[in-house]
């Protein structure tokens, strides 16, 4: 599977290297003033040898607006739900930031961004709420399959988060990471209005 992903990434990289800077006659790609909707969704289900079942659901709709030819403001909502055995945790959050796109007028473009996020989650069994703030610097690839639709991917990058339970005496748990491998890749769809 990793060989396939690396091969696809290599094809995208070669396409990027040969991409033209000017927009072709079609309206594929991005330009100043463009507005787009995007989103990802995911579901997972695991069962251990001990019989413990884990289910997860993630929904993340978003929006973007190009301020200049290369810079877009982005924002979105995040919803996730995880169930481990009988314990269920649900979370709702939002994120906002900016992305820089290389060759945005082309069919294929690469982006890097910076996003701030806030999420609150609740664990039902013990009725504990946790508030998390974060900073993410994601790397992305975008490929237009038509004038309006693109397949997007985001992977790795730099991330920082600080989570604190809403209980007396709770201390914040922080996490700082840099992921540049393909194990944390996510795919989504983009619709340009």
């Amino acid at each position: 599977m990793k060989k396939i992903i690396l091969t696809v990434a290599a094809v995208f990289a070669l396409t990027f290297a040969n991409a033209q800077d000017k927009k072709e006659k079609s309206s594929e790609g991005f330009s100043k003033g463009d507005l787009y909707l995007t989103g990802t969704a995911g579901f997972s289900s695991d069962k251990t040898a001990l019989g413990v079942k884990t289910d997860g659901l993630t929904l993340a709709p978003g929006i973007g607006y190009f301020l200049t030819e290369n810079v877009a403001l982005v924002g979105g909502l995040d919803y996730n739900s995880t169930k481990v055995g009988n314990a269920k945790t649900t979370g709702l959050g939002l994120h906002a930031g900016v992305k820089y796109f290389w060759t945005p007028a082309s069919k294929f473009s690469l982006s890097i961004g910076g996003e701030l996020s806030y999420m609150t989650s609740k664990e039902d069994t013990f009725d504990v709420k946790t508030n998390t703030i974060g900073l993410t610097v994601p790397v992305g690839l975008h490929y237009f399959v038509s004038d309006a639709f693109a397949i997007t991917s985001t992977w790795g990058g730099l991330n920082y988060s600080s989570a604190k339970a809403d209980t007396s005496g709770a201390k914040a748990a922080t996490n700082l990471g840099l992921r540049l491998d393909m194990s944390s890749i996510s795919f989504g769809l983009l619709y340009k209005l």
Side-chain angles (χ1 to χ4, degrees):
M1 181 67 170
K2 285 188 178 183
K3 288 182 182 179
I4 293 172
I5 292 173
L6 290 175
T7 302
V8 170
V11 169
F12 280 142
L14 290 173
T15 304
F16 174 69
N18 294 324
Q20 296 177 358
D21 289 334
K22 295 184 179 179
K23 199 172 197 177
E24 299 173 17
K25 291 183 180 180
S26 71
S27 60
E28 293 173 335
F30 299 111
S31 61
K32 182 179 178 179
D34 279 350
L35 181 69
Y36 65 86
L37 302 175
T38 187
T40 60
F43 175 77
S44 64
S45 182
D46 294 317
K47 189 172 184 179
T48 66
L50 299 174
V52 178
K53 188 173 180 187
T54 302
D55 294 321
L57 173 67
T58 302
L59 298 172
I63 191 166
Y65 176 76
F66 273 83
L67 294 172
T68 69
E69 293 296 322
N70 295 85
V71 178
L73 286 178
V74 296
L77 298 174
D78 298 301
Y79 170 81
N80 62 48
S81 175
T82 306
K83 187 174 181 183
V84 180
N86 292 327
K88 184 176 181 182
T89 303
T90 55
L92 183 62
L94 54 98
H95 64 269
V98 64
K99 281 188 181 179
Y100 180 85
F101 288 76
W102 284 273
T103 65
S106 302
K107 193 171 188 167
F108 171 81
S109 62
L110 175 69
S111 69
I112 189 166
E115 297 181 19
L116 291 172
S117 63
Y118 173 79
M119 178 168 274
T120 183
S121 58
K122 181 179 177 184
E123 198 279 328
D124 290 343
T125 305
F126 299 106
D127 196 28
V128 175
K129 288 185 181 179
T130 302
N131 298 310
T132 306
I133 59 169
L135 171 65
T136 307
V137 180
V139 177
L141 295 171
H142 317 278
Y143 182 75
F144 275 87
V145 293
S146 72
D147 288 350
F149 284 97
I151 297 171
T152 65
S153 66
T154 305
W155 82 93
L158 178 67
N159 60 57
Y160 168 81
S161 66
S162 177
K164 185 175 180 183
D166 194 11
T167 59
S168 64
K171 294 185 179 181
T174 60
N175 180 14
L176 176 64
L178 177 63
R179 303 281 316 244
L180 297 177
D181 61 359
M182 299 300 270
S183 66
S184 59
I185 194 166
S186 65
F187 292 95
L189 290 176
L190 180 145
Y191 175 71
K192 185 175 70 170
L193 300 173

